[in-house]
Amino acid sequence: PDLLIYRTLSFNNFHDQAITFHNSFTLISHYYHGGIQLWNQYDQMSYIFGHLGSGFYQLANLITALAYILLSPFFNHEAELFHSLHSTVFYASATLIRTMGGYLLLRKFSRSPLIVFVGLIYFNTLLSSHMWMGYNTNNLYSYFPLLIYFVLCFFENYRLRDFLMAFVVMTIAVATSPLQALSYFYLAVHFFIISC
């Protein structure tokens, strides 16, 4: 909450957060330079490896880049605007994804608004230390509650729609950063084991 009150604060204090900062910046840079560059003509190095490894094609970074592109013409100091937007919009987007999944998941177990509200507060405060990797590593684990929700729906009713939704959420999570998700974090394996 301090980020919304004290505009001089920044939430970019160590390496993984610098990656998400860089990814949003890269999206904006590509927008202003006319497209995505897959090959560096000067150093003869493929950029596609960096794109797959960093994974900047994700909802939180896309929303951050879009907010900057829409708002930057109204500000004199674009760099400060970008830093300020990234410190709020990126993390708010990742939290929103996690909160939506958490809400649906909690509603499966309780119809009480109070229990759901307290559960969401717990989910996004005390449990956030366990879900923190969802923020730093391109919000990979922010999709987890939504995935669990659709997996449970599938095993309750065995509907193809629920299976496809679980598959889509898993695909989005992996597609945000394929190299990190499949090789470094074994995301698909984690999702499958915990879902079972």
Side-chain angles (χ1 to χ4, degrees):
D2 288 353
L3 297 175
L4 301 174
I5 299 168
Y6 304 108
R7 302 307 300 167
T8 56
L9 287 182
S10 149
F11 215 51
N12 194 30
N13 59 351
F14 65 93
H15 178 259
D16 282 350
Q17 290 171 341
I19 291 175
T20 63
F21 188 89
H22 167 262
N23 292 345
S24 297
F25 181 84
T26 303
L27 277 171
I28 293 166
S29 176
H30 286 324
Y31 171 80
Y32 284 121
H33 288 90
I36 303 300
Q37 183 179 0
L38 299 180
W39 190 264
N40 182 344
Q41 300 291 338
Y42 304 103
D43 299 328
Q44 296 299 308
M45 174 192 169
S46 173
Y47 279 157
I48 193 66
F49 178 82
H51 298 339
L52 289 173
S54 297
F56 51 78
Y57 299 109
Q58 53 170 300
L59 295 178
N61 277 336
L62 289 171
I63 293 169
T64 304
L66 178 63
Y68 175 82
I69 290 166
L70 294 176
L71 295 176
S72 62
F74 303 105
F75 290 84
N76 291 329
H77 305 287
E78 291 89 353
E80 290 180 15
L81 172 66
F82 175 75
H83 207 280
S84 177
L85 281 175
H86 187 274
S87 293
T88 53
V89 175
F90 176 84
Y91 300 99
S93 303
T95 303
L96 179 64
I97 294 165
R98 217 176 62 196
T99 302
M100 289 183 341
Y103 173 79
L104 291 173
L105 191 59
L106 289 168
R107 290 288 290 175
K108 285 196 77 60
F109 299 107
S110 175
R111 296 289 179 195
S112 167
L114 178 63
I115 292 175
V116 171
F117 176 75
V118 170
L120 284 177
I121 295 297
Y122 172 73
F123 190 65
N124 281 304
T125 54
L126 297 178
L127 286 183
S128 63
S129 60
H130 301 286
M131 299 296 286
W132 188 242
M133 299 306 283
Y135 289 132
N136 297 340
T137 55
N138 305 315
N139 58 57
L140 294 174
Y141 288 104
S142 292
Y143 297 96
F144 185 71
L146 200 57
L147 175 68
I148 291 294
Y149 169 77
F150 287 118
V151 168
L152 289 176
C153 288
F154 172 73
F155 283 117
E156 285 176 354
N157 304 311
Y158 293 103
R159 288 185 299 210
L160 179 62
R161 181 187 71 184
D162 294 327
F163 176 79
L164 291 176
M165 288 303 294
F167 181 77
V168 166
V169 172
M170 171 77 87
T171 303
I172 290 172
V174 172
T176 60
S177 185
L179 293 182
Q180 288 183 351
L182 298 176
S183 62
Y184 186 57
F185 289 102
Y186 307 105
L187 185 71
V189 176
H190 292 170
F191 277 2
F192 177 76
I193 291 171
I194 298 176
S195 298
C196 289

